[in-house]
Amino acid sequence: EPEVTQTPSHQVTQMGQEVILRCVPISNHLYFYWYRQILGQKVEFLVSFYNNEISEKSEIFDDQFSVERPDGSNFTLKIRSTKLEDSAMYFCASRADGVGYTFGSGTRLTVV
Amino acid sequence: EDKVVQSPLSLVVHEGDTVTLNCSYEVTNFRSLLWYKQEKKAPTFLFMLTSSGIEKKSGRLSSILDKKELFSILNITATQTGDSAVYLCAPNYGNNRLAFGKGNQVVVIP
């Protein structure tokens, strides 16, 4: 079964530092997403990406965040100047037309 | 703004019991509704529902959507301890974004 792969599985960073979370979507999928889940809370939409540009972003996805598809396989989420409240599980997801999203196993980001 | 309400939030059942999980939603430009199972980490896909009244089945799990009343049900029959998880309901709406509920936490005891 094809998988969405995320690295690292766990990242600890100091407040104010920049982090890059990496994702390899399923190869024939065209739509890519980032979601996050703060401990004990709902999964929240961050951003969707299609055809090398952002399709939609939530109110959470401010100038601190950016996404990129630097090559044909990777999809990254960069968080600049991390804050304590950025600590969460970050999920990457991808999908093809007409099928459900496939989520990666997540990156647990801890900001200290 | 999206709104997804799942009930019950938490339940404990014995192996062999049947579980019914409820999800009501309010979103604009609804496209479909997805159910996921979340154990330790990533939500794993269960069902995608697009049409009202058509039951989808996968083994002991089944789900149905009512687009008029804006709700969906997920049923699990003959529960096993491996069914213990949080079940997430997520309408897909607008520009293909998912809105998640808080989940139904199911604990199946032997």
Side-chain angles (χ1 to χ4, degrees):
Chain A
E1 178 109 20
E3 287 184 346
V4 174
T5 305
Q6 289 187 244
T7 55
S9 56
H10 192 185
Q11 171 124 23
V12 181
T13 189
Q14 289 208 319
M15 200 165 51
Q17 296 296 303
E18 174 182 287
V19 294
I20 297 177
L21 310 184
R22 302 179 194 279
C23 170
V24 178
I26 293 173
S27 61
N28 64 341
H29 285 186
L30 299 177
Y31 305 89
F32 314 119
Y33 304 84
W34 284 100
Y35 285 78
R36 79 172 184 190
Q37 187 174 31
I38 295 171
L39 189 63
Q41 298 188 24
K42 296 191 293 185
V43 177
E44 302 172 291
F45 169 78
L46 291 178
V47 65
S48 58
F49 192 87
Y50 170 72
N51 202 24
N52 287 321
E53 61 183 27
I54 290 174
S55 308
E56 188 177 7
K57 56 185 181 180
S58 72
E59 51 284 348
I60 301 167
F61 194 90
D62 59 20
D63 292 343
Q64 187 193 2
F65 295 88
S66 62
V67 289
E68 199 175 39
R69 188 156 161 81
D71 54 44
S73 59
N74 290 287
F75 179 51
T76 62
L77 174 69
K78 183 188 291 186
I79 310 174
R80 287 179 280 276
S81 190
T82 48
K83 300 176 281 200
L84 293 176
E85 54 264 38
D86 295 327
S87 296
M89 181 73 90
Y90 287 81
F91 293 109
C92 173
S94 70
R95 70 174 184 91
D97 279 323
V99 298
Y101 291 57
T102 300
F103 282 83
S105 55
T107 294
R108 180 165 296 286
L109 176 66
T110 304
V111 182
V112 297
Chain B
E1 183 167 332
D2 58 72
K3 185 176 173 185
V4 183
V5 178
Q6 293 186 243
S7 63
L9 288 180
S10 179
L11 71 163
V12 180
V13 299
H14 287 95
E15 268 190 322
D17 287 349
T18 294
V19 161
T20 298
L21 307 177
N22 303 292
C23 172
S24 66
Y25 63 91
E26 286 181 40
V27 297
T28 52
N29 299 318
F30 175 86
R31 289 174 174 266
S32 60
L33 187 135
L34 288 80
W35 281 96
Y36 286 87
K37 178 182 182 181
Q38 187 177 30
E39 295 175 88
K40 297 279 187 205
K41 285 190 175 179
T44 52
F45 175 76
L46 294 175
F47 297 109
M48 183 168 79
L49 305 161
T50 53
S51 301
S52 283
I54 299 174
E55 186 182 51
K56 290 216 170 179
K57 286 183 71 97
S58 177
R60 295 176 294 102
L61 277 67
S62 63
S63 185
I64 198 160
L65 173 68
D66 186 327
K67 290 203 288 187
K68 184 180 175 190
E69 299 299 327
L70 307 182
F71 78 87
S72 177
I73 287 172
L74 176 69
N75 280 313
I76 311 173
T77 59
T79 50
Q80 302 170 357
T81 54
D83 296 326
S84 295
V86 175
Y87 291 84
L88 300 172
C89 164
N92 180 17
Y93 71 105
N95 197 11
N96 281 300
R97 63 188 277 182
L98 297 179
F100 284 88
K102 290 184 178 178
N104 307 100
Q105 180 167 35
V106 176
V107 175
V108 182
I109 55 178

